[in-house]
């Protein structure tokens, strides 16, 4: 080192100190006289072979105190020779090859602008390497290289470079960059953010890695061949391990997107804005501080499945563990009181997928008797290939559940279809689901056209459009069942009758008819009627206050204003008048009427 410094700094270091025996003296006199900053200035710009620089670095590393924090700062600009022949001021950010000549050669072939790789051999000496690391250089390891801003920029820019029509040398550099990245990933340095890497496709050009299909992959036979995805060049596919290609985004099966804290519908997923508006925003209205769908795990590119390939796509989706996760663990989407958003993937498949030619929401599970008649069971061949949990997760019906205006319109059309056999109880359950969806904000009445026909309490279908006939009314007081024909009533089930009446554009029954109790009867205190006392005890309910007006034969006059206004006499067994007085010709029936009013 003394001899080299004497050459570099003539007159400043006595050549007689060049002898090995005077190394200590050099350390005490020469460096002290020169100083680190002056040494850097003297070394800058020198044209010397790599071996010369290696020896200088090794000698400097041996000098006591030279790598102390203060001295290290003054050495920050120490010249470093790079693999492309350039000399840069300072070791910070320089990658050290560590003798890996093959990797250095691949880096040279890729010619990544801005990537600072030390010249091969510069860090062969452990002392030189130690000094370079102390000054900010980094070992050339896979994670460090993949994280280097210059390489990331080269990856992100690679497709743009390819689209500029590079010459043969330019294409060679693109291929070398792709090979370098794939080799690093194959060595176990996986990275989820390399989808922009340009790879050759079968058309002779370059595409983003995450826009390419494996030539023999599961997805290739499912998507539209004229769609936006390309096919990876078989030579590239055959030259790299499968796991490396998948890691950079090349598609074998369906790709899954992840976002732990989504802030809005900004993930470039098909129809994502509609999903957010229908599922996330309404969920936010149920006591939450704001839209919070939780972590977003979504299958992308579902819209690219060809219309005639859905039957083949379903088993691929069902067999993929990540797809199951995106479906919410394949949990059923219909659960009473569940205000969580329907996961995007389940929502999209339920609305846009095609199961035996229909959306999954058009079918029901074979055992879902609660919606039997309204929805047909999935075909036997579908049920044989896909498990019930998966089918339920993608929207196949397990119970009556309305999630949006489109859902409501579909259910109303099914209720109005005279070819369907829908018993009164199932119709009432469907009406309750419609009313609940409106009350929960999932359906806006103005977004749904009132149906021309409705399902009535006798199980039939009746005209509901104004002017065609006297439309049915929505039952809003249970006792009106006793005085109005079933064909004139729509049963709301457990739903809000007023909400259902608004949705169907029908009148509530209590607003359409007037009921008057015929005179007669005597008031009898409830506690004086043994049958009433016994039944109240059996039901675990206290006796009503006051008295029952007991009739020998109860008769009421009913005037239906929409049916001509002529009074019609009925003989119900019990009635509660507008003043809340209970009338009956049987104490037990009177008790039941009192307890349910």
């Amino acid at each position: 080192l003394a001899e080299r410094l004497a050459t570099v700094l003539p007159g400043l270091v006595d050549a007689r100190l060049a002898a090995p025996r005077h190394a200590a003296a050099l350390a005490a006199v020469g460096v002290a006289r020169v100083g680190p900053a002056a040494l850097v200035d003297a070394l800058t710009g020198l044209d010397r072979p790599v071996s010369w620089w290696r020896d200088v670095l090794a000698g400097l590393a041996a000098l006591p105190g030279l790598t102390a924090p203060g001295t290290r700062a003054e050495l920050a600009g120490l010249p470093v020779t790079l693999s492309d022949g350039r000399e840069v001021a300072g070791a910070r950010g320089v990658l050290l090859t560590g003798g890996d000549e093959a990797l250095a050669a691949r880096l040279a072939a890729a010619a990544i602008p801005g990537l600072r790789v030390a010249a091969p051999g510069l860090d062969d000496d452990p002392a030189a390497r130690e000094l370079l690391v102390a000054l900010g250089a980094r070992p050339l390891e896979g994670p460090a290289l993949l994280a280097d801003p210059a390489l990331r920029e080269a990856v992100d820019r690679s497709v743009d470079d390819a689209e500029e029509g590079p010459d043969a040398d330019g294409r060679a550099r693109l291929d070398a960059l792709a090979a370098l990245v794939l080799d690093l990933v194959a060595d176990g340095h996986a990275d989820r953010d390399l989808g922009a890497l340009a790879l050759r496709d079968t058309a002779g050009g370059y595409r983003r890695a995450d826009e390419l299909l494996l030539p023999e992959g599961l997805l290739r036979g499912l998507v539209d061949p004229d769609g936006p995805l390309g096919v990876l060049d078989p030579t590239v596919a055959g030259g790299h391990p499968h796991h490396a290609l998948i890691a950079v985004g090349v598609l074998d099966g369906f790709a899954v997107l992840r976002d732990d804290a989504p802030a809005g519908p900004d993930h470039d997923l098909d129809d994502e804005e509609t999903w957010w508006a229908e599922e996330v925003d309404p969920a936010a209205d149920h006591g939450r501080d704001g839209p919070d769908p939780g972590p977003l795990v979504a299958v992308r590119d579902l819209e690219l499945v060809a219309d005639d390939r859905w039957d083949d796509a379903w088993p691929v989706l069902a067999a993929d563990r990540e797809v199951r996760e995106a479906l919410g663990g394949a949990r059923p989407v219909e659960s009473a009181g569940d205000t969580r958003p329907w996961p995007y993937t389940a929502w999209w498949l339920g609305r846009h997928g095609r199961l035996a030619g229909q959306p999954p929401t058009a079918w029901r599970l074979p055992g879902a008797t609660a919606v039997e008649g309204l929805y047909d069971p999935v075909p036997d061949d579908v049920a044989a290939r896909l498990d019930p949990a998966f089918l339920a997760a993608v929207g196949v019906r397990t119970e009556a559940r309305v999630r949006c205006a489109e859902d409501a319109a579909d259910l109303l059309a099914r209720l109005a279809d005279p070819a369907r056999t829908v018993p009164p109880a199932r119709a009432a359950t469907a009406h309750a689901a419609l009313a609940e969806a409106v009350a929960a904000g999932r359906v806006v009445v103005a977004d749904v056209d009132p149906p021309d026909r409705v399902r009535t309490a006798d199980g039939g279908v009746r005209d509901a459009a104004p002017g065609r006939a006297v439309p049915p009314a929505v039952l809003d007081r249970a006792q009106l069942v006793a005085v109005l024909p079933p064909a004139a009533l729509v049963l709301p089930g457990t739903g809000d009758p007023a909400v259902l009446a608004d949705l169907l554009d029908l009148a509530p029954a209590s607003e359409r008819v007037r009921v008057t109790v015929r005179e007669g009867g005597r008031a009898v205190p409830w506690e004086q009627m043994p049958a009433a006392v016994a039944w109240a005890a059996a039901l675990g309910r206290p006796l009503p206050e006051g008295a029952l007006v007991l009739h020998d034969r109860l008769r009421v006059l009913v005037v239906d204003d929409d049916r001509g206004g002529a009074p019609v006499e009925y003989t119900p067994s019990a009635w509660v008048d507008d003043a809340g007085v209970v009338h009956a010709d049987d104490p037990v029936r009177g008790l039941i009427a009192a307890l349910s009013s």
Side-chain angles (χ1 to χ4, degrees):
L1 173 63
E3 181 180 2
R4 294 183 185 281
L5 291 179
T7 303
V8 173
L9 306 171
L12 193 57
V13 177
D14 192 333
R16 291 175 297 173
L17 296 178
R21 64 180 179 275
H22 294 300
L26 174 63
V29 180
V31 175
R33 290 171 55 194
V34 174
L39 180 62
V40 168
D41 290 341
L43 291 173
T44 299
L46 293 179
D47 185 12
R48 296 289 189 272
V50 173
S51 60
W52 188 91
W53 285 109
R54 179 190 61 225
D55 293 344
V56 169
L57 291 169
L60 288 174
L63 297 178
L66 203 65
T67 56
T71 307
R72 186 185 306 165
E74 293 186 73
L75 288 174
L78 192 68
V80 176
T81 304
L82 302 182
S83 60
D84 58 6
R86 291 181 297 146
E87 180 184 280
V88 294
R92 181 165 300 280
V94 172
L95 298 172
L96 305 177
T97 62
D100 189 342
E101 295 183 4
L103 180 55
R106 285 184 304 201
L107 286 168
I112 300 170
L115 191 67
R116 293 152 52 104
V117 180
L122 186 65
D123 61 330
D124 284 354
D125 188 297
R129 183 179 182 86
E130 182 179 351
L131 177 60
L132 288 169
V133 171
L135 296 177
R138 293 177 295 159
L140 185 54
E141 298 171 345
L145 184 54
L146 284 174
D148 191 284
L151 184 138
R152 309 297 294 199
E153 184 179 350
V155 168
D156 292 342
R157 194 183 58 244
S158 58
V159 171
D160 290 338
D161 290 344
E163 289 177 348
E164 292 177 359
D167 56 17
D169 289 342
R171 294 174 69 87
R173 287 193 295 271
L174 287 170
D175 293 339
L177 173 64
L180 171 66
V181 171
L182 288 169
D183 286 345
L184 291 171
V185 172
D187 289 341
H189 310 302
D191 196 300
R192 288 184 174 272
D193 193 25
L194 295 170
L197 179 65
L199 297 176
R200 288 180 182 262
D201 63 15
T202 53
Y206 290 85
R207 302 283 290 268
R208 287 177 57 104
D210 57 11
E211 293 179 355
L212 287 168
L213 303 168
L214 281 178
E216 305 300 328
L218 294 173
L219 203 56
R220 185 178 183 186
L222 302 179
V223 301
D224 187 341
D226 297 324
L229 296 180
V231 179
L232 182 65
D233 186 318
T235 303
V236 178
H240 298 278
H242 177 272
H243 74 273
L245 295 168
I246 299 303
V248 300
V250 179
L251 300 172
D252 182 5
F254 290 94
V256 174
L257 175 150
R258 298 170 186 273
D259 184 349
D260 290 335
D266 53 4
H267 302 86
D268 200 25
L269 295 167
D270 184 64
D271 211 9
E272 185 181 6
E273 291 186 357
T274 304
W275 167 72
W276 192 276
E278 290 184 0
E279 295 296 325
V280 181
D281 288 338
D285 295 335
H286 286 266
R288 299 188 181 188
D289 294 333
D292 179 17
L296 175 64
V297 183
V299 179
R300 47 164 275 203
D301 301 326
L302 290 168
E303 72 278 10
L304 303 182
V305 176
D307 290 342
D308 59 351
R309 300 311 307 272
W310 271 106
D311 287 348
D312 296 321
W314 290 113
V316 175
L317 289 164
D320 191 315
R321 184 169 54 188
E322 285 192 307
V323 172
R324 292 270 187 167
E325 180 187 359
L327 290 172
R331 66 175 177 85
V333 298
E334 299 170 359
S335 179
D338 186 358
T339 60
R340 291 175 297 172
W342 195 4
Y344 166 81
T345 304
W347 174 90
W348 194 97
L349 289 170
R351 171 170 290 195
H352 300 295
R354 286 296 177 265
L355 191 64
Q358 299 291 327
T361 52
W363 302 102
R364 66 173 174 87
L365 292 182
T369 56
V371 287
E372 186 175 357
L374 288 167
Y375 301 93
D376 299 326
V378 293
D380 292 342
D381 63 322
V382 172
R385 291 187 300 151
L386 303 173
D387 61 276
F390 176 80
L391 290 171
V394 301
V396 175
R397 305 284 177 172
T398 60
E399 61 181 21
R401 175 77 163 167
V402 177
R403 304 197 70 99
C404 60
E406 185 178 278
D407 224 5
D410 176 69
L411 181 55
L412 288 172
R414 291 170 182 276
L415 285 164
D417 184 354
R420 294 186 175 276
T421 300
V422 183
R426 289 184 198 139
T429 299
H431 289 144
L434 288 162
E436 189 274 333
V438 174
R442 295 192 302 273
V443 173
V444 177
V445 171
D447 294 339
V448 182
D449 293 331
D452 290 337
R453 294 182 295 187
V454 294
R455 186 76 55 165
T456 52
D458 61 350
V461 174
R462 301 288 183 274
D463 283 337
R468 291 186 182 178
V470 178
V474 176
L475 180 67
D476 58 338
R477 293 183 63 187
Q479 64 181 1
L480 290 174
V481 170
V483 299
L484 291 176
L489 293 172
V490 173
L491 301 177
T494 58
D496 186 330
V499 172
L500 181 65
D502 189 25
L503 181 66
L504 301 180
D505 197 22
L506 297 176
S510 64
E511 295 181 7
R512 211 175 80 179
V513 300
R514 291 172 285 129
V515 182
T516 305
V517 178
R518 290 278 198 180
E519 295 181 358
R522 65 189 188 282
V524 181
W526 289 102
E527 62 268 20
Q528 294 183 12
M529 291 179 286
V533 173
W535 274 98
L539 294 172
R541 302 282 297 276
L543 284 168
E545 296 181 359
L548 168 69
V549 178
L550 194 61
H551 296 253
D552 292 332
R553 186 183 180 207
L554 177 62
R555 294 178 297 168
V556 299
L557 290 176
V558 179
V559 176
D560 186 340
D561 292 332
D562 281 356
R563 294 178 181 271
V568 178
E569 184 175 273
Y570 290 89
T571 57
S573 57
W575 192 263
V576 181
D577 64 23
D578 293 339
V581 177
V582 182
H583 301 260
D585 55 21
D586 175 77
V588 175
R589 294 184 182 276
L591 176 69
I592 294 172
L595 294 178
S596 60
S597 64

